């Protein structure tokens, strides 16, 4: 059952160029994604591909100069701004990419306790801190007294005790030691197995493959492929999009060959397929219009040549 649906989301920012010329930078284009109850959907893609902006669009915390179009639904109903505000931190929790989201003036134990909606807040907070190896002294510390890794564990704790149905975790693990990473990933899996859902935004495809059900691959502000994790095997024969195949082959345990070229900047997106300038399959048709995302072999792909 879909718990969160994003339909044709586009996000752009007005930018001023030299000579006060205004341009509209398209940072997310026509993006659709569904998150089902019981599922972990990993979102992977290069830096600047729009992953955090998608998270912020779902939570309704995009900067005020962002212009958006498209529909986001939660539990089948449209997420209006008022509903986003009412559900934020309650039914939909964010593990933010930046540790600056912690309140600098509140002791971290208290911050975590205030996000508990039902049950014994003090006991839940201590239990989650223990799980993430945060000692008793940490309860009374202020964010500036924490290391980056400790702050990240406090942010994870906040989402875990919130009682949310959906957790959107934006790069939750960098800087954490492997034991804590494993703990956090297991927590996400348990959370989903209890009928909730997780969107796990990460650069770490290998970790994502261990716990996720599906992987959405982002490129230049849109999804090029959504595939089940089982498709990531061998030489990537079961994958659909040339970019996904190339990402898979670029992993150290595979061919470890980087993909030549780089992702286009939002101010200079190609008119046709966004990946065409780097794609060995590109034909003249690919230069004309951006392909729609379509179903293919129990997955989704945005490429006219994929079969
Ligand atoms: N407030 C803003 N104004 C203008 N452009 C922005 C703004 N915030 C983000 N962008 C641009 O939107 C694009 C997508 O940014 P986003 O932060 O979503 O990327 P990301 O995929 O999360 O990257 P990373 O992996 O580095 O976290 C980038 O090109 C970024 O420069
Ligand atoms: Ni990001």
């Amino acid at each position: 059952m879909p718990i969160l649906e994003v339909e044709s989301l586009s996000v752009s920012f007005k930018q001023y160029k030299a000579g006060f010329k205004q341009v509209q930078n398209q940072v997310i284009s026509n993006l659709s994604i569904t998150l089902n109850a019981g599922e972990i959907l990993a979102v992977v893609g290069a830096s600047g591909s729009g992953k955090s902006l998608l998270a912020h669009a779902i939570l309704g915390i995009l900067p005020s100069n962002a212009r958006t179009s498209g529909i986001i639904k939660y539990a089948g109903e449209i997420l209006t701004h008022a509903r986003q505000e009412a559900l934020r931190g309650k039914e939909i929790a964010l593990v933010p990419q930046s540790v600056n989201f912690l309140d600098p003036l509140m002791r971290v134990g208290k911050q975590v306790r205030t996000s508990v909606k039902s049950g014994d807040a003090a006991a839940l907070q201590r239990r989650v801190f223990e799980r993430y190896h945060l000692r008793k002294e940490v309860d009374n510390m202020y964010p500036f007294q924490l290391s980056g890794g400790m702050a990240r564990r406090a942010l994870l704790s906040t989402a875990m005790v919130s009682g949310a149905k959906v957790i959107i975790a934006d790069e939750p693990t960098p800087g954490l030691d492997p034991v804590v990473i494993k703990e956090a990933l297991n927590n996400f899996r348990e959370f989903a197995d209890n009928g909730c859902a997780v969107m796990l935004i990460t650069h770490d495809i290998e970790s994502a493959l261990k716990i996720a059900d599906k992987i959405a691959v982002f490129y230049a502000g849109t999804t090029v492929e959504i595939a089940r994790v089982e498709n990531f095997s061998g030489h990537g024969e079961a994958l659909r999009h040339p970019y996904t195949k190339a990402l898979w082959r670029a992993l150290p345990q595979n061919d470890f060959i980087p993909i030549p070229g780089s992702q286009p900047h939002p101010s200079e997106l190609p008119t046709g397929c966004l990946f065409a300038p780097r794609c060995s399959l590109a034909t003249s048709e690919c230069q004309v219009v951006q392909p729609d995302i379509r179903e293919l072999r129990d997955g989704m792909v945005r490429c006219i040549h994929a079969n």
Side-chain angles (χ1 to χ4, degrees):
M1 192 187 63
I3 187 159
L4 190 73
E5 295 156 274
V6 176
E7 294 169 17
S8 309
L9 178 73
S10 293
V11 178
S12 61
F13 288 102
K14 205 184 278 173
Q15 301 255 291
Y16 291 91
K17 276 195 160 172
F20 302 107
K21 207 179 141 225
Q22 267 187 29
V23 289
Q24 203 68 28
N25 273 357
Q26 182 92 5
V27 288
I28 293 192
S29 322
N30 201 7
L31 186 148
S32 298
I33 219 167
T34 301
L35 187 58
N36 292 307
E39 192 173 80
I40 300 181
L41 172 75
V43 170
V44 303
S47 189
S49 59
K51 305 181 298 294
S52 295
L53 288 176
L54 169 66
H56 296 179
I58 294 168
L59 283 132
I61 54 168
L62 284 172
S64 57
N65 63 331
R67 197 190 285 175
T68 64
S69 66
I71 292 176
I72 304 176
K73 287 185 195 160
Y74 173 74
E77 273 182 56
I78 289 180
L79 258 186
T80 57
H81 206 75
R83 223 168 146 238
Q84 279 171 323
E85 225 171 276
L87 300 179
R88 194 184 306 144
K90 300 186 179 80
E91 302 228 349
I92 309 176
L94 174 70
V95 182
Q97 183 167 18
S98 164
V99 295
N100 297 333
F101 275 72
L102 285 167
D103 180 344
L105 302 177
M106 203 195 284
R107 297 180 195 273
V108 286
K110 186 166 180 205
Q111 294 195 41
V112 173
R113 290 193 294 277
T114 52
S115 67
V116 175
K117 298 297 164 315
S118 67
D120 181 344
L124 284 169
Q125 178 254 312
R126 193 80 289 286
R127 200 180 317 148
V128 75
F129 271 22
E130 261 159 38
R131 222 172 156 169
Y132 289 131
H133 307 268
L134 292 170
R135 299 179 318 274
K136 188 86 185 77
E137 305 88 271
V138 180
D139 296 10
N140 286 324
M141 288 182 179
Y142 286 98
F144 78 91
Q145 296 171 298
L146 307 181
S147 70
M150 287 159 89
R152 217 167 259 296
R153 283 179 272 163
L155 287 170
L156 268 170
S157 303
T158 306
M160 290 299 177
V161 298
S162 65
K165 302 263 184 348
V166 174
I167 291 183
I168 299 182
D170 192 355
E171 296 281 1
T173 55
L176 297 183
D177 80 67
V179 178
V180 178
I181 293 181
K182 197 158 174 250
E183 188 68 46
L185 296 177
N186 289 342
N187 263 195
F188 288 139
R189 191 62 260 174
E190 278 168 29
F191 182 80
D193 290 344
N194 287 330
C196 298
V198 181
M199 182 181 285
L200 174 66
I201 296 172
T202 180
H203 279 108
D204 183 0
I205 300 187
E206 290 162 274
S207 288
L209 288 172
K210 285 189 197 131
I211 59 148
D213 299 289
K214 289 186 206 155
I215 310 264
V217 181
F218 273 36
Y219 188 78
T222 199
T223 34
V224 293
E225 176 160 356
I226 301 171
R228 300 205 61 82
V229 290
E230 303 83 71
N231 293 160
F232 290 79
S233 66
H235 294 283
E237 297 85 350
L239 295 169
R240 300 155 190 81
H241 196 280
Y243 180 61
T244 319
K245 287 177 191 264
L247 269 185
W248 172 243
R249 290 198 204 109
L251 290 181
Q253 75 272 27
N254 297 336
D255 299 337
F256 210 13
I257 303 166
I259 315 162
S262 59
Q263 179 180 258
H265 188 264
S267 62
E268 43 202 37
L269 294 182
T271 43
C273 170
L274 300 175
F275 188 63
R278 298 170 77 183
C279 183
S280 59
L281 302 178
T283 56
S284 55
E285 268 177 288
C286 303
Q287 324 291 341
V288 189
V289 283
Q290 199 193 114
D292 285 329
I293 193 148
R294 63 184 165 99
E295 280 187 45
L296 179 66
R297 291 184 274 108
D298 193 29
M300 304 289 286
V301 68
R302 196 188 284 280
C303 168
I304 55 171
H305 298 294
N307 55 37

